[in-house]
């Protein structure tokens, strides 16, 4: 963590241009154990609150877990379901022609699962339900704002929903009721690696004018 | 539309800082009928492609509808369901103590519905299903990137899912099958009004440390 950080939370990250940030916000899953100031967590969550939501209901609830025993509780349960989740990919990655880039991603995801207890912030995003339904569409725009804001202030982050397989157990532990279930986990910390352009298909493979015509692409 | 736009699509919007853009991206529902260059639509959709998605599956499909008879088709159906959707809010807004800010929002949403056929771009966001399910969590981060990119390049935009009440009719018209259903409509054009901070609760009302404790806020 930069030593002058505490004095200047308001200024940090204010200069990076939007489009450059959008193009270089990749998932960062290798993180240092150094703590993150609460004021900085507040700053990235504040960015989340500017997202749109149906009827401007702002259904989000952010729970930043920083205490080590609490992170150990989450990490232990996350690991349990993660290994089941990733097993088919690990199996597929044995094939000699499996893309090396995907293999690296699997390794990074496994590294995150194995070190999750050391990641300084487990940001759990939950949301108020409406008519018994999670308002997913009102939560993921806020999550994206948070991921971009992490990029701006120099934090590494990634988005996972794997924990939902043990959601009730984790939600109970965090006092999240069925009226405010969690929907995503964002492990946040100071990055070991660098930001960079994530691997994506060209927009020209996804954008159509007037009507969808996949055969034309 | 700025007259020098066509010559400089690559440069436009590159300077605005991320966090400033996040804080001032409000829904803009009053839009001019002037056309938007295709290269600019491509630019904002490209921002969408940098969003995260489960397994990096990038499930998004963008259909930019610009032909006037196609926009009229969508607008006619949108209006039909919108008026049913908004009726309870219009009724509630009759109360003398109804917040004026919400009343303005209702008026803006009605203006958008009434003028939708004149809005130059109807960006329909659709997505490849997985195991028969829409991958919503992989679409709304991309949508948020697009809304922010519109802010950066000077376009006005807003997010609506009201059209899903007549989704099958619209999707058929756009050649979107049940494997790639639409999930959102983003009407885009040059703004009549100004960008500005959207009305939101303070982050301190949504952010908790260690565990959810609404009674503490």
């Amino acid at each position: 963590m930069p030593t002058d950080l505490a004095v200047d939370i308001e200024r940090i990250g204010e200069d990076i241009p939007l489009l450059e940030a959008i193009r270089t916000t990749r998932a960062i899953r290798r993180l240092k154990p150094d703590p993150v100031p609460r004021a900085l967590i507040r700053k990235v969550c504040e960015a989340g609150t500017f997202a749109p939501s149906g009827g401007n209901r702002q259904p989000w609830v952010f729970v930043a877990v920083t205490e080590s025993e609490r992170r150990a509780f989450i990490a232990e349960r996350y690991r349990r379901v993660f290994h089941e989740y990733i097993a088919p990919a690990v199996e597929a990655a044995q094939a000699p022609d499996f893309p090396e880039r995907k293999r690296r991603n699997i390794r990074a995801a496994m590294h995150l699962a194995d070190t999750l207890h050391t990641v300084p912030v487990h940001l759990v995003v939950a949301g108020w339900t409406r008519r018994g339904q999670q308002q997913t569409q009102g939560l993921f725009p806020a999550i994206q704002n948070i991921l971009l804001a992490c990029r701006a202030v120099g934090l590494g982050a990634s988005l996972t929903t794997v924990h939902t397989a043990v959601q009730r157990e984790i939600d109970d532990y965090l006092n999240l009721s069925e009226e405010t279930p969690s929907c995503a986990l964002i492990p946040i910390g100071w990055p070991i690696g660098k930001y960079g352009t994530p691997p994506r298909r060209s927009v020209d493979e996804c954008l159509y004018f007037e009507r969808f015509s996949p055969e034309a692409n």
Side-chain angles (χ1 to χ4, degrees), chain A:
Chain A
M1 156 183 164
T3 51
D4 60 342
L5 190 62
V7 300
D8 210 11
I9 299 281
E10 281 204 17
R11 285 288 315 134
I12 194 169
E14 294 292 331
D15 293 332
I16 185 170
L18 167 69
L19 293 170
E20 180 191 332
I22 281 179
R23 294 186 194 110
T24 56
T25 300
R26 67 171 184 86
I28 296 194
R29 300 192 176 92
R30 296 179 192 273
L31 302 163
K32 299 177 188 168
D34 310 58
V36 175
R38 282 195 170 199
L40 205 50
I41 300 171
R42 181 182 180 282
K43 179 164 179 153
V44 300
C45 288
E46 185 175 45
T49 67
F50 291 109
S53 58
N56 196 25
R57 282 184 293 273
Q58 309 165 59
W60 38 75
V61 168
F62 309 121
V63 183
V65 181
T66 68
E67 291 172 358
S68 66
E69 68 274 25
R70 290 193 167 268
R71 290 185 279 124
F73 181 97
I74 294 173
E76 187 187 319
R77 279 144 193 88
Y78 183 86
R79 257 192 298 279
R80 198 198 303 153
V81 288
F82 175 80
H83 286 295
E84 282 174 49
Y85 163 80
I86 204 73
V90 171
E91 172 84 23
Q94 306 287 332
D97 61 342
F98 194 81
E100 183 53 30
R101 176 178 270 170
K102 285 192 181 181
R103 211 174 265 146
R104 277 201 304 273
N105 272 344
I106 294 170
R107 278 201 297 268
M110 292 179 78
H111 174 86
L112 176 67
D114 290 340
T115 58
L116 188 58
H117 59 290
T118 73
V119 173
V121 183
H122 295 187
L123 184 64
V124 174
V125 179
W128 293 95
T129 55
R130 184 168 189 246
R131 298 171 187 155
Q133 294 291 308
Q134 180 76 279
Q135 301 178 65
T136 314
Q137 303 168 352
L139 296 177
F140 280 83
I143 287 168
Q144 181 62 7
N145 272 5
I146 290 172
L147 294 172
L148 293 171
C150 283
R151 165 73 183 88
V153 302
L155 289 166
S158 61
L159 168 60
T160 172
T161 58
V162 169
H163 82 285
T164 51
V166 279
Q167 182 180 27
R168 201 61 261 148
E169 207 176 340
I170 290 176
D171 284 10
D172 282 347
Y173 186 68
L174 301 179
N175 197 34
L176 290 164
S177 73
E178 289 184 11
E179 281 76 53
T180 53
S182 66
C183 75
L185 170 64
I186 308 179
I188 299 176
W190 301 105
I192 292 173
K194 290 197 167 76
Y195 305 110
T197 307
R200 296 289 189 267
R201 283 194 293 275
S202 160
V203 62
D204 298 313
E205 294 177 38
C206 326
L207 172 60
Y208 302 83
F209 285 91
E210 312 315 340
R211 66 198 297 275
F212 185 49
S213 50
E215 66 285 356
N217 270 14

